[in-house]
Amino acid sequence: MDISTLLQSILNGFSSAGIYILVALGLTLVLSIMNIVQLAHGEIYMIGAYGVYYITTSLGLNFFLALVISTLLMGGLGIVLERLCFRPLRGQFDRAAIASIGLILILQNVVLSIAGGDPRSYMSPFTGVLKILGVAISWDRLSIVLFGFGLVAALFLFIRMTKTGQAMLAISQDRDGAALQGINIDRISMAAMFLGCALAAIAGALVGAIFSVSPTMGGFALMKGIAVIILGGLGSIPGAVVGGLIIGLIDGIMPILTTTHIAGLIGFGAIIIILLFRPQGISGHE
Amino acid sequence: MLKLKDVTVRYETAEAVRGVSIEVPEGSVISVIGANGAGKSTILKAISGLVPLYSGEIEFSGQKINRMAVNQIVDLGVVQVPEGRRLFPYMSVMANIKLGAYLRRDKRGMMADMEEVFRLFPRLKERSNQKAGSLSGGEQQMLAIGRGLMARPKLLMMDEPSLGLAPVVIDLLADTIRTINQSGITVLLVEQNASLVTRVSQKCYVIEVGRVVLEGNVQELMADDSVRRAFLG
């Protein structure tokens, strides 16, 4: 193993981490504000990618415009889902989980019937390689790192600096306490679903640009996202970032030491070991 | 100012509040006193809109509020400092105080009120960057009250503010409640601590298993031995 391979795989780790974090942030926002696990989160990610595919190939728009449109559409879908499906089930953890499993089936099959089961692909706008100290870094991977961490920074600022962001934090820490300050829980839940779904759509669109899109691509994202939020601490935003980095780097680096399958095993093994010592997750409370 | 007319609240299994009528005149400090589980907190939750009424009506300044959303009720100036403080423990003292003013748009007024809260509770200013969960019980109660004041309430409802506080801190609390009332805010106080009630309020309602069993002048009620023995220990 030479240094170039190692750096390359570290970069891969960071780009996986970027995706995992984007997915996990949406899950954790919805979880902490609405008290539900939105298991169809991976399907939003998948449809976000298909959105970009159709907008770029059928309408001929460029990738960035397609990304913006698809992200806003998925955010809108999030608001519709909150209103119609999750608001009546808020706080009812098990029922909401079952409803979201139903959503997985519906959304997957709608996409399957429209787009078919074959993987589709579209061109990444980021092409070519960047050479640093003799190490070739592909722009498409690097773009995910920049996008992912840029969005994380933006989300941190949003939560810290805006009233809506502070209201989200407040609800996650004490729901009735927040309501008694005049915070409209319904409206903040809608904002959380919008943000969560928009982040998932961006993640899906970025992954679709590197690999391909298929109706079942969401399962992987959901699995990683859930692993990340459990490792990081349920409902914790910094936890989602740290957890995403750990799992992303394990996924990036382990394959060069062993096979991909063993690497997956080591990844989840590491999570189990960390949770044995810190059951509440890395930055979880209680 | 606030009128509860024959209010009944039912939880799934039982009636928590049965036909309670309470009147809080503007400018007064009215207390609701009773043992644990008597339904005192439920009354405040019903006023704030956190639990629906089964029957009856709640009126604030002539306006029916018992079907309004929690945030609308806060917007009218009916603000609650809830039992157990319900602070945001992992946010700073400052962030908690600012969230109290969540519905307000007047930046200048908010800054002035914040100064006022810090004048009332200097400890909060010293600790403004600390996490709310790291404060002592007394400081947390001050923060909860300060946060409530930031909403610029017309009616401030306090649910067992003395709970878990040392006697010295309860003295401070009594002073604070009087100061708040003198600044023109009507207070509805729910308490178990008889000495706090006698020191700050004029009229008192005694609640037992969800019903008002006695009401009247605080001094007279406290003079009544049977009341003291039955409800106040």
Side-chain angles (χ1 to χ4, degrees):
Chain A
M1 175 181 62
D2 56 21
I3 192 78
S4 154
T5 323
L6 182 66
L7 287 177
Q8 187 69 55
S9 57
I10 290 177
L11 177 74
N12 285 349
F14 274 107
S15 70
S16 299
I19 295 299
Y20 299 168
I21 292 170
L22 289 181
V23 172
L25 283 175
L27 275 175
T28 214
L29 266 179
V30 171
L31 172 68
S32 57
I33 288 160
M34 297 162 66
N35 252 336
I36 60 170
V37 182
Q38 211 288 78
L39 293 170
H41 200 62
E43 275 49 55
I44 303 290
Y45 161 99
M46 176 266 294
I47 299 174
Y50 269 100
V52 171
Y53 168 75
Y54 277 111
I55 296 167
T56 50
T57 54
S58 309
L59 302 179
L61 296 180
N62 84 38
F63 174 82
F64 294 101
L65 203 53
L67 179 65
V68 170
I69 295 173
S70 183
T71 301
L72 291 177
L73 284 176
M74 286 305 106
L77 177 62
I79 290 181
V80 171
L81 291 179
E82 193 279 330
R83 194 72 194 79
L84 297 181
C85 177
F86 295 118
R87 188 176 297 182
L89 300 175
R90 201 184 299 152
Q92 301 180 46
F93 200 82
D94 40 2
R95 291 188 191 188
I98 290 168
S100 69
I101 291 171
L103 269 179
I104 293 179
L105 300 176
I106 295 169
L107 295 175
Q108 264 186 21
N109 284 292
V110 167
V111 172
L112 193 61
S113 66
I114 295 173
D118 299 330
R120 309 287 174 114
S121 58
Y122 48 89
M123 279 295 289
S124 168
F126 310 101
T127 50
V129 290
L130 177 70
K131 283 216 173 222
I132 300 174
L133 305 172
V135 181
I137 295 170
S138 65
W139 267 110
D140 55 2
R141 291 299 179 110
L142 197 58
S143 71
I144 292 187
V145 178
L146 298 176
F147 252 96
F149 290 92
L151 283 168
V152 168
L155 187 74
F156 266 89
L157 280 178
F158 171 77
I159 297 231
R160 218 179 151 69
M161 309 303 279
T162 69
K163 239 176 162 176
T164 306
Q166 291 284 294
M168 287 179 173
L169 266 190
I171 294 174
S172 74
Q173 293 178 23
D174 196 315
R175 171 176 309 272
D176 279 357
L180 287 173
Q181 310 314 311
I183 293 170
N184 184 334
I185 309 262
D186 288 344
R187 198 181 310 156
I188 302 296
S189 295
M190 271 162 55
M193 271 296 273
F194 178 90
L195 265 182
C197 291
L199 291 173
I202 294 172
L206 291 173
V207 167
I210 295 186
F211 304 108
S212 59
V213 297
S214 75
T216 53
M217 70 191 276
F220 175 77
L222 178 73
M223 188 178 72
K224 289 296 180 185
I226 287 188
V228 165
I229 64 172
I230 290 174
L231 178 63
L234 291 178
S236 163
I237 290 172
V241 175
V242 177
L245 276 172
I246 291 175
I247 297 181
L249 285 172
I250 289 175
D251 284 3
I253 294 169
M254 282 304 160
I256 58 170
L257 305 173
T258 166
T259 68
T260 340
H261 298 285
I262 303 281
L265 201 68
I266 293 173
F268 280 104
I271 296 172
I272 291 172
I273 290 169
I274 294 173
L275 290 177
L276 271 178
F277 291 101
R278 242 188 111 70
Q280 72 273 48
I282 291 165
S283 28
H285 301 302
E286 282 151 301
Chain B
M1 179 179 236
L2 180 79
K3 275 187 197 144
L4 276 73
K5 296 177 190 163
D6 209 14
V7 166
T8 297
V9 178
R10 276 189 182 176
Y11 289 130
E12 266 170 43
T13 47
E15 274 183 352
V17 172
R18 295 187 267 182
V20 165
S21 297
I22 290 176
E23 201 165 320
V24 183
E26 190 158 1
S28 61
V29 179
I30 302 294
S31 293
V32 173
I33 196 161
N36 266 339
K40 302 180 305 265
S41 295
T42 305
I43 295 174
L44 292 197
K45 280 187 185 159
I47 299 171
S48 282
L50 287 172
V51 295
L53 297 196
Y54 179 75
S55 63
E57 204 171 278
I58 301 174
E59 227 176 59
F60 178 75
S61 298
Q63 195 176 356
K64 200 175 140 191
I65 62 167
N66 53 303
R67 286 188 177 277
M68 288 187 175
V70 184
N71 55 308
Q72 291 173 306
I73 295 172
V74 175
D75 212 16
L76 289 177
V78 180
V79 174
Q80 182 178 163
V81 179
E83 184 180 13
R85 289 124 195 167
R86 312 307 291 262
L87 297 170
F88 309 117
Y90 309 111
M91 295 173 89
S92 69
V93 168
M94 191 55 124
N96 271 271
I97 287 180
K98 283 187 179 161
L99 277 163
Y102 183 76
L103 290 174
R104 288 175 63 179
R105 301 267 174 270
D106 56 324
K107 273 251 161 64
R108 207 167 293 165
M110 274 166 56
M111 292 310 287
D113 284 354
M114 197 183 293
E115 283 311 308
E116 190 57 32
V117 168
F118 284 145
R119 207 181 52 75
L120 199 58
F121 306 118
R123 288 296 274 282
L124 294 184
K125 190 168 193 174
E126 288 164 28
R127 292 169 194 249
S128 58
N129 292 320
Q130 229 168 290
K131 296 255 182 295
S134 72
L135 300 180
S136 73
E139 288 163 348
Q140 289 196 14
Q141 191 58 54
M142 290 174 199
L143 178 53
I145 295 172
R147 184 182 64 175
L149 290 173
M150 286 303 291
R152 188 163 276 188
K154 296 191 177 92
L155 170 69
L156 188 67
M157 307 188 288
M158 293 189 228
D159 195 346
E160 298 222 29
S162 76
L163 202 70
L165 301 188
V168 206
V169 187
I170 295 180
D171 291 343
L172 177 69
L173 186 63
D175 293 340
T176 307
I177 294 172
R178 274 194 295 262
T179 311
I180 289 170
N181 183 236
Q182 275 153 18
S183 74
I185 297 170
T186 308
V187 175
L188 176 58
L189 176 67
V190 160
E191 257 305 336
Q192 283 197 68
N193 185 311
S195 99
L196 179 61
V197 168
T198 44
R199 276 187 284 171
V200 298
S201 64
Q202 295 98 41
K203 193 180 170 184
C204 170
Y205 292 81
V206 180
I207 305 277
E208 192 183 325
V209 265
R211 284 181 196 283
V212 175
V213 290
L214 274 172
E215 60 177 276
N217 181 289
V218 171
Q219 307 299 333
E220 286 167 21
L221 279 180
M222 293 306 154
D224 188 330
D225 269 355
S226 64
V227 173
R228 282 228 307 275
R229 258 198 314 268
F231 307 110
L232 315 170

